[in-house]
Each structure stands twice: as C-alpha cells, then as structure tokens.
C-alpha cells in the first residue's frame, strides 16, 4: 500500500498508525531519508492493500477507524480530498485492509509463471522483500533469489534443482509468505517471534533453480526445443520422470566435489532425463548461478529441498563443521525426518558447499512416494518444514 506524505509525517508516525514495525517500513522505502520526507512523495506501507468502499447511510470515518483498528488520520492519508465530516451516500473512499492470509495458495502444477506472479504479488504487499535475478536458465528464464532481512548471518534455502521435484518451490514460497505475514502482523510461529530473526539474519531463498525443467514436467516441451527433448527422453512425451535441465544435464551432479567419480560411475553417458553430470562440472547456467550466489553471499548455512524420503543428509567426506551435528539433531526433532550423515554420493550442491566453505549444508528429501510427489502432501510437508525453517533462523 502506498500513501502520500502530508506535512509533519514521519516513518515512525506511519509505524504507529498502521502498527507495522518501523524497521520494515524503513526497508520497504530504502531510498527515502526518514528525516527528510517530502510532502506529496509516496511511501510504501507493508502488509496492507487498498480497498474501495461506497459510502452507505450512517457511515463515518470514525466507524471505519473502529472497524479497521486504524486511527482516523491513517484513513485521511488515503483520502486527502475527502471531508470526513461531510461524507456523501455513494461516495467512494479508500480504506487500508490488513493482509492476514497467505498469497501463495494456488500450489497445484506450480509452474515458473505461477511462481513469478506470486513473487510480484509478495513484493507488492511486502516491499521490504528484495527480489534479485541471479542468472538465467538455458531458455532465458530468470533465476530469482528472495532476499529478506537486516542481519549479517546469511541463511540460504533452495528448491527445484530437479524438475519433477517442483513441489519444493511452493513449499519455499509458502514459508517465505508465512514469514512475511508474521513479521508485519507481529504474531509468533511455533512460539518464535519473527522480528528478532529479521534483524539477526539475511534470508536467501532460490525457490526454483531449474525453471525450464519444471515447466517441461508440468507443461511439456516448448516448441523451440521440442524435438531435442523428446529425443533425450527416448521418444516419449511423458516427462513426469524428468529431473535434469532442458539440455538433459542433472544440475545436482554439476559441482566440483569429486565430480569425476560421479562421471565415471553414472549412467547414462549422454544427456538424459536424469543423472547425467555433463561433460565437465559447472557447464550449465543454472548451476553456475547457484555457485556464484554462494560465493557472493557467503552463506552461514545452506538447506537444499528435494523429494522424496522424509530424510536429510548433512555430512560430506568428514568436512562438515561440528555444529552440523547439533543442527541435524534439532532438525530431526522438528521435522520427524531421519538424519543421515553420509551417503555414497558426490558432485551435489550440498557436497560442494560443505567442501568449499566448511559450513553446515543439508539436503532434505521432502515427502514420501514416487516423484513427482502428489500435491496432496503439500500441507503435511509445509508443516514439517516450517519448524526446520524457523530453527534455521533462530539457532
């Protein structure tokens, strides 16, 4: 929601009027000088939408004030040309409506386009959320990072490295949405208040690493590469088992952490719907973008969401730091997932992250069954991961 500054207004005043933490209003208006607001300039107030109301007989601004729990001055900000003492029947006024339910709701067949629309809506309502483009897919789709918080400690999550594991994207998007709701409205999640987490951490989330692959699974091949991907898929037009990027390279086998071992033992030996690690590490733009992000942000910890198995992995070649074990114990208690230190696997993002930075890294396998996990598991998976999400920012 946007309001126009009136004489004497301050960001602190808006914080009091709309009961939104001052830090969120400041971060929603990063180019504004709090002590030098100009009359008439626009200021973003996070967590609200503007709704129209047609005046009925008996309506007053004082009635609306009690209904919305917002002082009359807050209503006048949205109606600078309205005389509150002379409201006319059928006159249109504008009222601030606090957003109290998630925006991320349509989670079935969660394509790149659905994610992008939800990202735009989230940033519109919660403009303290920064949306960064960290790279592009093979077909030129943006790879987005959600960036939230003031803290120095960077906590990173990612999802949909694998195309048919797309359910991880709406799980992450709903987690971010829940966090934003909690920040603005001040209510705790699992007994944890969010604002201290915001001030302590910088949350980094890449909800869809592999947008071309996700759309391939959900919508079929785009015309420009239809023949190529059907050929890679051995003539089949059923892409439900496809994990790779659009070129048939498995993005989670693309990292220089004993990549040569995976290259030698992996089948097939050419581009395929899954498992092919490429001709060399870090050849694919999606994998490169994620490696560069880790270097730039210097994550304090990293969690990658995959499916399926209700388990998570947290060690690599004995290079994981001591704190990984205590975090793993907490994650297991919070989620009910099995904690597994080592698996016979290399060249994954978690493996490379631990090897390169010696920081805690985790691969979570969400849900149970056969990929793609049915969307009916979404509510359960979300509840399981909410505890993991909060712990990652709290501990």
């Amino acid at each position: 929601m946007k309001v126009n500054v009136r004489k004497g207004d301050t960001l602190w005043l808006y914080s009091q009027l709309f009961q939104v933490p001052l830090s969120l209003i400041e971060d929603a208006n990063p180019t504004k000088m709090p002590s030098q607001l100009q009359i008439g300039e626009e200021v973003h107030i996070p967590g609200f939408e503007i709704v129209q109301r047609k005046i009925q007989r008996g309506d007053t601004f004082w009635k609306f004030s009690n209904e919305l729990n917002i002082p009359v001055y807050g209503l006048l900000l949205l109606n600078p040309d309205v005389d509150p003492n002379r409201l006319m029947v059928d006159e249109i006024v504008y009222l601030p409506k606090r957003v109290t339910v998630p925006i991320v709701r349509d989670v079935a067949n969660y394509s790149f386009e659905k994610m992008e629309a939800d990202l735009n809506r989230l940033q519109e309502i919660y403009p303290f959320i920064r949306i960064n483009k960290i790279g592009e897919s093979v077909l030129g789709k943006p790879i987005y990072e959600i960036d939230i918080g003031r803290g120095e400690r960077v906590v990173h999550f990612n999802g949909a490295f694998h195309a048919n594991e797309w359910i991880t994207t709406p799980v992450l998007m709903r987690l971010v949405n829940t966090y934003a709701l909690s920040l603005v409205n001040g209510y705790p999640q699992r007994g944890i208040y969010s604002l201290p987490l915001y001030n302590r951490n910088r949350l980094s989330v890449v909800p869809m690493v592999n947008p071309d692959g996700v759309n391939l699974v959900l919508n079929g091949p785009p015309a420009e590469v239809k023949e190529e991907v059907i050929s890679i898929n051995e003539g089949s037009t059923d892409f439900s088992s496809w994990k790779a990027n659009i070129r048939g390279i498995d993005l989670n086998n693309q990292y220089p952490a004993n990549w040569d071992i995976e290259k030698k033992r992996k089948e097939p030996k050419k581009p395929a719907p899954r498992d092919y690690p490429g001709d060399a590490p870090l050849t694919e733009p999606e994998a490169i973008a994620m490696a560069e992000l880790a270097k730039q942000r210097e994550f304090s910890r990293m969690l990658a969401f995959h499916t399926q198995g209700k388990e998570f992995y947290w060690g690599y070649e004995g290079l994981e730091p001591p704190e990984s074990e205590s975090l793993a114990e907490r994650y297991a208690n919070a989620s009910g997932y099995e904690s597994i230190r080592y698996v016979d696997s290399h060249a994954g993002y978690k493996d490379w992250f631990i090897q390169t930075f010696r920081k805690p890294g985790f691969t979570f396998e969400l849900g149970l069954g056969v990929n793609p996990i049915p969307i009916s598991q979404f509510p359960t998976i979300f509840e399981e991961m909410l505890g993991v999400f909060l712990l990652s920012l709290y501990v």
Side-chain angles (χ1 to χ4, degrees):
M1 179 179 77
K2 298 176 183 177
V3 300
N4 292 104
V5 174
R6 304 179 79 178
K7 185 177 180 180
D9 285 358
T10 64
L11 297 185
W12 180 86
L13 173 64
Y14 297 151
S15 173
Q16 300 304 301
L17 287 173
F18 298 106
Q19 299 176 48
V20 174
L22 177 59
S23 57
L24 300 183
I25 295 179
E26 290 174 342
D27 292 351
N29 299 276
T31 63
K32 301 286 190 295
M33 296 294 291
S35 61
Q36 299 178 18
L37 294 182
Q38 302 298 310
I39 293 174
E41 73 174 317
E42 287 186 333
V43 171
H44 293 268
I45 308 297
F48 284 83
E49 296 178 290
I50 297 174
V51 296
Q52 289 186 2
R53 179 78 69 89
K54 183 182 287 187
I55 295 298
Q56 305 294 318
R57 191 174 302 277
D59 282 346
T60 68
F61 269 27
W62 289 266
K63 174 185 172 183
F64 296 149
S65 174
N66 288 329
E67 177 186 320
L68 300 170
N69 194 29
I70 292 173
V72 169
Y73 188 83
L75 308 183
L76 294 175
L77 281 169
L78 300 181
N79 300 276
D81 299 323
V82 173
D83 183 346
N85 298 307
R86 295 184 178 181
L87 296 181
M88 306 295 291
V89 173
D90 292 336
E91 182 179 9
I92 299 297
V93 296
Y94 300 93
L95 302 178
K97 179 185 177 184
R98 184 179 287 272
V99 177
T100 58
V101 297
I103 295 156
V104 180
R105 284 177 285 190
D106 182 11
V107 297
N109 299 319
Y110 202 78
S111 64
F112 170 79
E113 289 74 21
K114 277 191 177 182
M115 179 196 70
E116 191 172 49
D118 280 345
L119 283 174
N120 290 336
R121 191 82 175 109
L122 282 171
Q123 192 175 43
E124 179 184 356
I125 295 176
Y126 306 104
F128 55 84
I129 295 177
R130 300 173 292 272
I131 307 295
N132 306 316
K133 177 183 169 182
I134 64 166
E136 292 184 348
S137 67
V138 171
L139 296 181
K141 290 183 178 63
I143 300 171
Y144 291 116
E145 179 205 25
I146 304 167
D147 182 7
I148 306 175
R150 291 186 159 194
E152 294 184 1
R153 186 177 73 167
V154 182
V155 178
H156 173 79
F157 292 81
N158 62 67
F161 254 95
H162 288 144
N164 66 348
E165 299 174 8
W166 59 262
I167 195 174
T168 57
T169 298
V171 168
L172 284 168
M173 291 289 288
R174 178 68 71 82
L175 288 169
V176 168
N177 195 168
T178 301
Y179 185 47
L181 274 167
S182 178
L183 283 167
V184 170
N185 297 317
Y187 52 73
Q189 294 286 336
R190 304 283 175 88
I192 298 174
Y193 285 93
S194 296
L195 194 60
L197 306 183
Y198 181 90
N199 292 326
R200 182 185 181 194
N201 298 286
R202 182 174 180 182
L203 173 64
S204 163
V205 180
V206 178
M208 189 179 288
V209 176
N210 185 6
D212 296 343
V214 167
N215 272 18
L216 176 64
V217 169
L218 294 175
N219 303 326
E224 64 267 34
V225 293
K226 183 174 182 179
E227 290 185 9
E228 292 93 323
V229 295
I230 290 176
S231 176
I232 292 171
N233 207 33
E234 298 183 343
S236 174
T237 56
D238 179 0
F239 294 94
S240 59
S241 297
W242 190 284
K243 295 175 67 175
N245 76 347
I246 203 74
R247 286 204 284 234
I249 311 298
D250 191 319
L251 296 176
N252 206 41
N253 281 322
Q254 263 277 287
Y255 291 91
N258 288 316
W259 176 88
D260 53 326
I261 293 176
E262 292 298 287
K263 176 66 173 177
K264 288 177 183 177
R265 69 183 182 180
K266 282 290 185 185
E267 294 291 345
K269 301 299 184 185
K270 62 181 181 178
R274 57 176 294 163
D275 296 336
Y276 180 61
D279 295 327
L282 294 176
T283 60
E284 302 309 291
E286 302 93 342
I288 294 168
M290 292 300 292
E292 289 303 311
L293 181 67
K295 294 173 184 176
Q296 292 168 11
R297 290 279 184 270
E298 299 182 348
F299 309 146
S300 296
R301 56 188 60 161
M302 185 283 296
L303 294 88
F305 282 5
H306 290 253
T307 59
Q308 46 77 32
K310 294 193 73 168
E311 60 191 21
F312 64 92
Y313 319 124
W314 55 274
Y316 185 67
E317 301 285 278
L319 301 174
E320 64 280 359
E323 67 179 298
S324 296
E325 186 168 7
S326 61
L327 275 172
E329 183 177 353
R330 287 173 176 262
Y331 288 153
N333 291 335
S335 65
Y337 281 35
E338 182 181 1
S339 170
I340 299 173
R341 187 164 194 164
Y342 298 123
V343 291
D344 185 18
S345 179
H346 303 281
Y349 191 63
K350 180 267 294 179
D351 309 326
W352 169 80
F353 177 78
I354 293 173
Q355 173 185 275
T356 303
F357 301 102
R358 303 299 201 270
K359 301 283 185 65
F362 302 84
T363 297
F364 275 80
E365 301 286 355
L366 312 187
L368 284 173
V370 177
N371 291 330
I373 292 292
I375 200 63
S376 60
Q377 292 191 32
F378 176 87
T380 299
I381 291 172
F382 171 76
E383 289 298 325
E384 291 165 346
M385 290 302 104
L386 180 58
V388 170
F389 178 85
L390 293 169
L391 270 173
S392 299
L393 299 173
Y394 182 75
V395 177

